[in-house]
Amino acid sequence: MDDMPKLAQTIDEVVAGRIDLYETIVRYYEGFVFSVAVRVTFDRDLAYDVTQDTFLKLYGSLSKFRGESRLSSYLYRIATNAGIDAARKRSRHPVSSGDAQADLLTVEAPQTASDGPDVEEVKSAVRAALQKVDPVFRAAFALVDLDGLSYEEAAVRLGVPVGTVKSRVFRARGELRELLSGTLGR
């Protein structure tokens, strides 16, 4: 994602006291941050909370932002960490989210009656399994396997070494394999 036009000037003015301009930053990046939050939490309601938390954290640290990287990268890191924390808290105190779950996976394959489970059954099983994967591993998995980023790009977004991303994706795939084994007629 490209940073907003005149970002450095806007940040300087917000830090100098023009708080009303902070809304411009929020409006420009809110869709991006929300999509990151949904990918990490797999829950739309929780993603709204994570998005709000991300912008509160950004506001508190805006004066420290040096502009050496893109603000979108900085926001990605904040949103990912906030999402992981929120997902961990939620897993300790689970609440049924029902229809609030994000429909993040698409399965597009022609089906016939003898092909096995239907598309909705597969999507539901994979979504349920992904929610059980540790949020740290799920975030790396989502970037590499769902968003199609390279390990290097994912490492930059997560702020960790490439080897760590590879390890987390491997662990997520293993957890998914284990969670999905024996399901869907296998």
Side-chain angles (χ1 to χ4, degrees):
M1 165 176 213
D2 291 332
D3 277 336
M4 71 179 247
K6 299 182 182 180
L7 177 64
Q9 178 185 351
T10 304
I11 290 174
D12 289 343
E13 290 185 39
V14 169
V15 170
R18 296 263 334 259
I19 299 170
D20 57 308
L21 290 178
Y22 187 66
E23 184 178 348
T24 343
I25 296 171
V26 172
R27 295 287 172 242
Y28 189 85
Y29 292 99
E30 68 186 341
F32 169 72
V33 170
F34 180 73
S35 69
V36 171
V38 167
R39 289 286 188 175
V40 173
T41 64
F42 278 77
D43 182 309
R44 285 195 188 281
D45 290 338
L46 189 56
Y48 286 115
D49 294 342
V50 168
T51 300
Q52 184 175 8
D53 188 39
T54 297
F55 283 111
L56 287 172
K57 288 178 180 178
L58 175 66
Y59 184 77
S61 66
L62 203 55
S63 63
K64 298 174 192 161
F65 181 70
R66 295 182 303 267
E68 293 171 1
S69 65
R70 294 188 325 219
L71 184 63
S72 57
S73 298
Y74 188 59
L75 276 168
Y76 191 96
R77 198 168 292 151
I78 294 171
T80 300
N81 290 334
I84 289 169
D85 291 344
R88 282 184 172 159
K89 285 178 189 172
R90 168 89 32 116
S91 69
R92 282 187 226 130
H93 308 289
V95 176
S96 174
S97 58
D99 291 333
Q101 293 176 342
D103 186 16
L104 302 172
L105 302 172
T106 57
V107 178
E108 305 225 359
Q111 288 280 313
T112 65
S114 62
D115 280 347
D118 69 17
V119 173
E120 289 306 314
E121 187 180 355
V122 172
K123 286 167 67 174
S124 177
V126 172
R127 187 181 309 114
L130 276 169
Q131 287 182 334
K132 294 177 184 173
V133 172
D134 184 299
V136 172
F137 303 148
R138 184 173 59 220
F141 174 85
L143 287 173
V144 173
D145 287 346
L146 299 180
D147 293 344
L149 296 182
S150 69
Y151 288 111
E152 292 77 15
E153 292 168 322
V156 169
R157 293 248 178 122
L158 293 172
V160 298
V162 173
T164 301
V165 172
K166 289 179 179 180
S167 172
R168 289 177 181 178
V169 170
F170 178 80
R171 296 272 309 267
R173 289 174 183 161
E175 283 186 31
L176 277 173
R177 194 175 304 113
E178 186 176 311
L179 290 166
L180 291 171
S181 69
T183 62
L184 303 173
R186 295 181 82 187

